[in-house]
Amino acid sequence: MRVFVTGASGWVGSAVVPELVNTGHHVVGLARSEASADALAAARAEVHRGSLEELDSLHEGAAKSDGVIHLAFIHDFDQYEAANQTDRQAIETIGAALEGSGRPLVITSGVATTAEGRPATEHDAAAPEFPRSPATTMTLALAGAGVRSSVVRLPPTTHGRGDNGFIPTIIRIAREKGVSGYIGDGSNVWPAVHRSDAARVFRLALEQAPAGSVWHAVGEEGVPTRTIAEVIGRQLDIPAVSIAPQEAGEHFGWMGVFWAINAPVSSALTRERLGWESTGPGLIEDLEQGHYFERT
């Protein structure tokens, strides 16, 4: 299958590309820079020049493909609504190129859902206040326009060597503060997945997912934040301490809102229907390996 991948040189994309190539697919990766183009060529992918803002380039890449995995997103939190608008325009453009063909389009989203008091499932709708929810809604609606569209939801941490997301941010704050903090009693949980496991969900969704479906790339339903903080404390040789909820904003900054999330997530349907299992290390095992704490 000729697969057009946006965000192909990003954190998740750079795992998805070899997953596709090693299973016999021909990958065409969107590249906006020389560095991205070089990384794609090294991964044995064809380079397609362009960006999310260049809609003609997106349309061409999608139109010439047998399927699309859309992973790119402009991570500019100072202009977050504009970034989400760009994302929706990209999905609209890709969807138009695939309309009526029955070809697959797989996009990525997060696990923020309407579930309360239980682990979220693939059947739960995206939370209305979640900024990425409109992108999910419009992608799933493409099923009615002859696109085999699906959404893969990722947990707060998609971990592995080279991660530069939430966990490294928590580690940086712990270094700066001299304590590894958790909020309250630290019983709130974060779902997690290893990057290699997430990549397989995207491939399986591309190959198998029916139109209008949602999947959870979640290897662990929920890891207590206190447990995460304690591992970080041991690795940095600093104490793990409770931070009162009312002091979380001051201690953690913008990260406090995310670190307070309690979001258990099930991937039972994904495992059953796509035949997927997580085989990479869990989050705690990954942290214990020490690479998150290497200075560069």
Side-chain angles (χ1 to χ4, degrees), residues 6-7 12-13 16 68-73 75 84 87 91 105-111 130 132-133 135-136 139 150-155 158 198 202 215 217:
T6 73
V12 175
V16 169
V68 178
I69 297 179
H70 173 52
L71 302 170
F73 188 81
H75 293 281
N84 278 285
D87 183 49
I91 292 169
L105 165 61
V106 185
I107 76 158
T108 183
S109 189
V111 294
F130 183 47
R132 302 291 293 275
S133 291
T136 292
T139 298
S150 63
V151 175
V152 173
R153 292 171 175 162
L154 291 172
T158 302
F202 282 99
W215 309 97

Side-chain angles (χ1 to χ4, degrees), residues 159 194-197 200 277-283 285:
H159 57 90
H194 192 269
R195 185 172 67 137
S196 61
D197 290 326
R200 287 204 313 283
E277 286 296 336
S278 57
T279 59
L283 176 57
E285 181 184 354

Side-chain angles (χ1 to χ4, degrees), residues 57-127:
S57 176
L58 282 182
H59 190 281
E60 179 187 3
K64 292 180 177 180
S65 74
D66 299 311
V68 178
I69 297 179
H70 173 52
L71 302 170
F73 188 81
I74 300 171
H75 293 281
D76 183 351
F77 291 98
D78 291 329
Q79 301 184 59
Y80 195 48
E81 178 48 43
N84 278 285
Q85 179 61 29
T86 298
D87 183 49
R88 292 191 291 270
Q89 289 176 341
I91 292 169
E92 182 179 26
T93 298
I94 294 168
L98 300 178
E99 186 174 347
S101 68
R103 287 176 285 170
L105 165 61
V106 185
I107 76 158
T108 183
S109 189
V111 294
T113 75
T114 54
E116 293 185 14
R118 59 170 174 78
T121 76
E122 294 88 339
H123 290 314
D124 289 311

Side-chain angles (χ1 to χ4, degrees), residues 23-44:
T23 51
H25 296 287
H26 178 86
V27 176
V28 181
L30 182 69
R32 59 180 300 209
S33 69
E34 286 298 327
S36 293
D38 290 345
L40 289 171
R44 296 181 291 154

